[in-house]
Every structure is written in structure tokens, then in C-alpha cells.
Amino acid sequence: MTAELTRWLLPMIPVVASLCGARSLYHIFQLESYQLPGYFRSLRRNSARAWLPGLAITVFSVAMYYGYDLLAAGGVPIWALIAYAVAALPVSAGFGLLAARATNSKTAKKKFVCTGRVKRLYGHSLVIMGALSLLLAQSPMAVLPALWPLLLPWVVAMCGLIAWGLEKAISECYFRDARRRLLSNPRLIRIGITGSYGKTSVKHILGTILQEKYRTLITPASFNTPMGVSRAIRERLDPAHQVFVGEMGARRVGDIRELCRLVRPTIGILTSVGPQHLDTFKTVERVARGKYELIEALPPDGHAYFCDDGGICRELYRRTLKRKTMVSMAAGEDIAVWCEGVSVSPAGSAFDLHVRGRGSVPCQTRLLGEHNIVNILTAAAVASDLGLSLKQIARGVGKLEAVKSRLELITPPNSFTIINDAFNSNPVGAKAAIKVLAQFPARRIIITPGMVELGEQEAEYNRAFGRDIASAADIAIIVGKKRAQPIIDGLLEAGFPAEQIHRVDSLDASTALLRTFVRTEDTVLYENDLPDNYQDA
């Protein structure tokens, strides 16, 4: 009886512990949108998080195996051996959770969500690991099942690969249902927004302005993948909606084309093209090709909107043969919407909005930064073409509020001022944030880990970021290791005082350091908070 029971229970010790210990690995897999190339890149950046849980589980499992052998050799009663084997399973589950938590102590920016897909992946893991353990248990060395958790990161990848066909079929079902719901209302105006930066801000600005006339649905937060947009449509779209605004993100060429297959936009907005996600796109030219897929997907009677950057966007505007509109901060021959009389301050911005052929209207907004005026002009161009009056547009502009963690101004009573720009960062956005910081009175403090996902040029971009910081900040707190040195080099190159540069290992450490010298009249800019899959890099 004892031998038969332990033949089934002991091999499950590493299985149960591994299922619990793999939680942090499945979190990485989820953060990378279940894409294996990104998953393996994250594993290389987070070697401790990737391999230590499996190593700890292996040591624990071996100890549990030999512990049983020692008890059996010592003449322990049968009932005690059975109790040991049964108790080993919940104990191994707890140990697996501890192993995962020990390598993932930082509070997650994006929490791990046990979705249906994750549950199915766990099911695949249970079947594969259970079968492998029972098979190894029949070998001459019964301890072998305890050793294979060393390969836990590869097991997660293998489960993801095996489940790919099923998940693709399930995703396509959700995708088709969302598209059916979206296209079932022929009067619904469908708008797609993409760009290297600014797309989330333009989405929220456009949604707020259009609400002055239309019942508008925008995709929430940063739902900008096919499954995220499908979910927003299936859960939130109803027949009363008149406009749908979908944000479209991309990490590689072809991603926007897939989103257009879902949304079928009649209006496309290209906010920007620049160095973003270069670790996957590789070149800015490929970024431009990927973003332009939105314009290519518009129907012959569609309408394309561009922000004038004097570079790539202007060139894409020129080559577009469909109906098109360009917006800019200054008037020009081919500029349909522009502004004059711009005034920016720590309280926001004021400007005169001009729409060619319709006149002008004064606008005021609490949004920080001149770059947000460009975002407003883009949204105003679309709103004007959709029939909103200049008065309605100005009223909507006055209602705009900062998107959370995107140049969000926080002024607690009797405390220092915070500019929260921590959601993400890129070279253009970081430069804009520095300009906003410069508008505030001294002392100005920046806390940043630098920028990521910039491929081979990442160090140079961070060095330039350091030079920009030197033009506005009085104190710099640099968080992390790998990206800290290029930023510090840039600061020193620009003549920034070395004694005002502080490098710390974590955001918590930066907070502790800040408390030692911050004053109530200071302004603190939090520029970027690294994604969870970069937390150990």
C-alpha cells in the first residue's frame, strides 16, 4: 500500500511546486503578449527570476525524496510514511509560491491576471509535467523527477508553443465576434489611432471632445492589441454608440494590419513616427512601415490625419493619395488646423485654435506641455470634420484632464509638487517632459530609470536624455544599473554637478533618498517606470 501510494505521490512533489513556482514565468509570458521571442528576451534580462525558482524547487524536491527514504530506512511506521507523502503536496505548493515570490518582490506595474488562457496553459503544464514526472519515476533512479524543474522556463515555453493552435482558434472566435458587433451598426464612425507616441493622449482628448456631440466609446487604458480591442468592443460597445475610437499598438510590422482587420476604420490618425520598440522593429523605417498600415487599410473614401513633424509624418502625408489632413503648431499652405498666441505654464496652456475655412476660437487646457497642444489640434481636426462647432471643440478642450501617469500634475497640500510621467517613456516624450519641468520654479528634481526597448541605440538615447536633464533639473536621481551610467555620462558631459547626481537600485530607494532632502516648494518629475519584464535589468 505504502509503495503504491508513494509511487504516485512523490513524483508529484516537483510538479505541484513547479506549477506554483512558474507563476512569475507565466507573468513574463503574459506581459510579452504570449510571444516567445519577447519571452526569451525577458528571461535573458531577468536571469534570477527565470532560473532561481526552478533551482530552489529542485533542491527542495530532492530533499523531500531523500527525506522519505531516510524515514523509511529508519523504521518509521507505515502511517507516518503515508502522512509524509500526503503532506508533501501542500508543502511543495507553498514552497513553490515562496520561490516565485522571492524573485519577484517588486510590486507589479501590471498585475498577473489568471485569464482563461493562463488557466489553459496551467492545464497543459500539469499534463506535461505530471506525465514527465511519472515517466522518470519508473527509471532506476527514482530521484530524477526532482531534477527536471531546472528546465522550468523551457517547460513554460513548450506549453505555450503546444497551446498556440488552440489559443489562436479561441482568439479568432473572440476577434470575429467583436468585429461582427462593431460592423453591425453601419452608422457607427470607426476611428483608428496609432503612432510611436501620443496615441493614448490623442485618444482620450478626441473622446472627450467628441462627447460634446456624439456618444463615443474609446478603448480603455492601453488596450491596443487585437485581444484588448476585441475585449473592449465585446464588453462595452452598445447600439447607442455613435463613434468608436480604437488605439492601435504595434511591436512589429503587421500588427496594425491585424488591428485594422478587426476595426475596419474609416478614419485613421497617425500621431508620430519615431524610435520606439526598436528592439523588435529594429529600424525607424520599419516603424514607419508598420504605422502606415493604418492609412493603407482605410477605404477609398476614408480620411487620414497626420501631425506635421517636418520629417517622416510629413513624407507619409505627401505620399498618401486618399483624403488627408495635416495639423501643425504653425500655419502653412497645406496645414488645415494650427494655433497661434500660445502660452504655456505650470497651470496648463492657452492658445487660439484655427481651422481653415471655419475661423478660430480661444482655448484653454489644464494639460501640461506644448506637445499636448499638438495632440489637441489633431483631435480638433477630426472633430471639426465630424461636424462639431468651434465652440463645442473649445468647450471639450476645457474639460480635458491628464491621463493617469502621463504628465499628471499632483499637488498635495503642504507637500512638494509631483509631475507623474511614469507610465512609459521615449526620446521625444522624455524631451517634452523635461521642457515641462523647466517651466516650474527651482528646485527641480527628476527621478528616472531611463528608457528601454530602443535596441542597439539605447545607450546613446539615454546619454542624450542625461544631457537634456542637465538643462532643466537641479537634482537627478537615477534608478537602476544598466541604463544609469549612460544617463550619468550625459549629465556630466553637459556640466551637471556630480554631487547632485544620485544613483539608487530601486524606486523604493529613490523615495527614501528623496525624503532626506526634499522641500515643500520643490517640483519632482517621475519620468518612466520600467515595465515589469525589465524590473531586474
Side-chain angles (χ1 to χ4, degrees):
M1 169 65 180
T2 307
E4 183 67 20
L5 183 64
T6 55
R7 187 171 71 86
W8 291 101
L9 290 182
L10 290 182
M12 298 306 293
I13 291 173
V15 174
V16 173
S18 295
L19 284 172
C20 297
R23 185 182 187 278
S24 60
L25 293 172
Y26 275 121
H27 190 195
I28 291 176
F29 200 28
Q30 189 174 71
L31 291 170
E32 292 292 349
S33 301
Y34 306 101
Q35 300 292 319
L36 288 176
Y39 170 72
F40 283 118
R41 281 195 299 270
S42 289
L43 293 188
R44 287 195 295 270
R45 288 191 298 265
N46 301 277
S47 55
R49 192 177 177 189
W51 299 105
L52 285 184
L55 177 61
I57 290 168
T58 292
V59 173
F60 168 82
S61 300
V62 170
M64 294 293 284
Y65 269 70
Y66 282 111
Y68 179 88
D69 288 344
L70 288 173
L71 290 175
V76 172
I78 291 178
W79 64 266
L81 292 176
I82 295 175
Y84 178 95
V86 172
L89 297 184
V91 171
S92 63
F95 185 86
L97 288 173
L98 286 174
R101 185 174 297 176
T103 57
N104 190 27
S105 59
K106 178 185 172 184
T107 301
K109 188 177 175 183
K110 289 187 177 180
K111 300 292 186 182
F112 178 63
V113 182
C114 198
T115 61
R117 181 167 189 167
V118 169
K119 292 175 183 176
R120 290 188 292 273
L121 285 172
Y122 268 115
H124 282 82
S125 300
L126 175 60
V127 171
I128 292 172
M129 290 191 292
L132 186 59
S133 287
L134 291 174
L135 180 64
L136 290 172
Q138 309 305 316
S139 68
M141 293 184 63
V143 75
L144 282 177
L147 302 179
W148 72 261
L150 290 171
L151 302 176
L152 194 55
W154 290 95
V155 172
V156 169
M158 182 171 63
C159 291
L161 186 61
I162 291 173
W164 184 85
L166 173 63
E167 297 304 328
K168 187 68 176 175
I170 292 172
S171 296
E172 185 65 20
C173 288
Y174 291 144
F175 186 98
R176 289 176 181 272
D177 181 62
R179 186 173 59 189
R180 179 189 59 79
R181 293 171 186 245
L182 197 63
L183 301 180
S184 63
N185 181 357
R187 293 184 299 277
L188 182 69
I189 301 168
R190 302 182 303 278
I191 302 173
I193 300 178
T194 193
S196 298
Y197 36 86
K199 54 185 176 292
T200 302
S201 295
V202 171
K203 174 185 68 177
H204 283 276
I205 292 169
L206 180 58
T208 300
I209 293 175
L210 290 181
Q211 288 284 8
E212 296 297 314
K213 181 174 181 177
Y214 298 105
R215 183 150 187 245
T216 303
L217 173 65
I218 66 173
T219 49
S222 290
F223 280 39
N224 59 18
T225 65
M227 284 302 96
V229 176
S230 294
R231 179 182 171 188
I233 294 169
R234 296 177 73 244
E235 293 180 358
R236 303 188 179 210
L237 185 69
D238 64 52
H241 281 117
Q242 299 167 288
V243 180
F244 173 77
V245 183
E247 179 181 342
M248 298 182 175
R251 287 180 174 270
R252 53 190 59 81
V253 174
D255 286 354
I256 300 297
R257 188 183 306 114
E258 180 70 1
L259 281 159
C260 290
R261 187 168 72 90
L262 167 63
V263 176
R264 302 281 181 85
T266 55
I267 293 173
I269 303 171
L270 183 54
T271 63
S272 57
V273 175
Q276 185 76 312
H277 297 311
L278 291 182
D279 56 338
T280 51
F281 275 110
K282 303 304 181 185
T283 66
V284 174
E285 289 73 21
R286 286 177 60 84
V287 174
R289 192 195 315 169
K291 301 300 182 183
Y292 195 69
E293 289 172 353
L294 170 59
I295 309 304
E296 291 175 327
L298 296 175
D301 60 347
H303 196 152
Y305 293 82
F306 299 83
C307 293
D308 183 13
D309 61 355
I312 295 176
C313 278
R314 172 166 281 277
E315 178 57 34
L316 294 177
Y317 169 83
R318 285 173 177 161
R319 64 183 262 198
T320 299
L321 300 179
K322 299 169 183 175
R323 186 183 177 198
K324 57 188 179 181
T325 294
M326 176 78 81
V327 306
S328 178
M329 289 288 290
E333 182 180 347
D334 54 357
I335 303 300
V337 178
W338 68 96
C339 63
E340 295 177 357
V342 175
S343 172
V344 295
S345 74
S349 304
F351 58 94
D352 293 328
L353 169 69
H354 289 260
V355 178
R356 187 175 297 280
R358 299 194 62 187
S360 65
V361 63
C363 295
Q364 285 189 314
T365 178
R366 293 187 294 275
L367 298 186
L368 298 177
E370 191 173 278
H371 69 290
N372 264 321
I373 298 178
V374 178
N375 294 336
I376 291 171
L377 296 179
T378 306
V382 178
S384 176
D385 287 337
L386 290 179
L388 273 76
S389 67
L390 294 181
K391 183 177 180 180
Q392 286 174 315
I393 294 172
R395 188 164 61 232
V397 171
K399 295 178 180 179
L400 296 175
E401 296 182 0
V403 181
K404 184 174 177 58
S405 299
R406 288 176 170 87
L407 285 179
E408 177 187 14
L409 186 63
I410 303 172
T411 54
N414 303 316
S415 184
F416 57 91
T417 298
I418 296 173
I419 305 173
N420 181 4
D421 198 38
F423 185 81
N424 57 26
S425 190
N426 57 73
V428 174
K431 189 180 288 287
I434 295 299
K435 288 183 178 179
V436 169
L437 179 64
Q439 297 168 7
F440 286 74
R443 287 185 317 176
R444 299 181 289 265
I445 303 167
I446 185 170
I447 299 177
T448 181
M451 297 174 287
V452 296
E453 298 183 339
L454 293 173
E456 296 178 355
Q457 302 177 58
E458 185 173 283
E460 182 50 44
Y461 279 119
N462 277 308
R463 188 176 291 107
F465 181 35
R467 293 193 292 267
D468 289 337
I469 291 172
S471 68
D474 301 295
I475 300 172
I477 301 177
I478 314 301
V479 181
K481 301 173 184 177
K482 180 180 178 181
R483 279 158 292 278
Q485 195 56 52
I487 299 172
I488 293 171
D489 291 343
L491 283 162
L492 295 175
E493 287 171 11
F496 196 83
E499 64 273 15
Q500 299 300 341
I501 302 173
H502 307 271
R503 195 204 66 78
V504 296
D505 289 334
S506 66
L507 184 61
D508 289 341
S510 73
T511 301
L513 175 63
L514 181 67
R515 287 173 180 160
T516 64
F517 60 75
V518 71
R519 307 169 188 163
T520 56
E521 64 269 22
D522 291 343
T523 300
V524 179
L525 167 65
Y526 284 89
E527 181 60 24
N528 204 14
D529 181 15
L530 295 187
D532 298 304
N533 46 343
Y534 279 84
Q535 64 177 347
D536 297 326

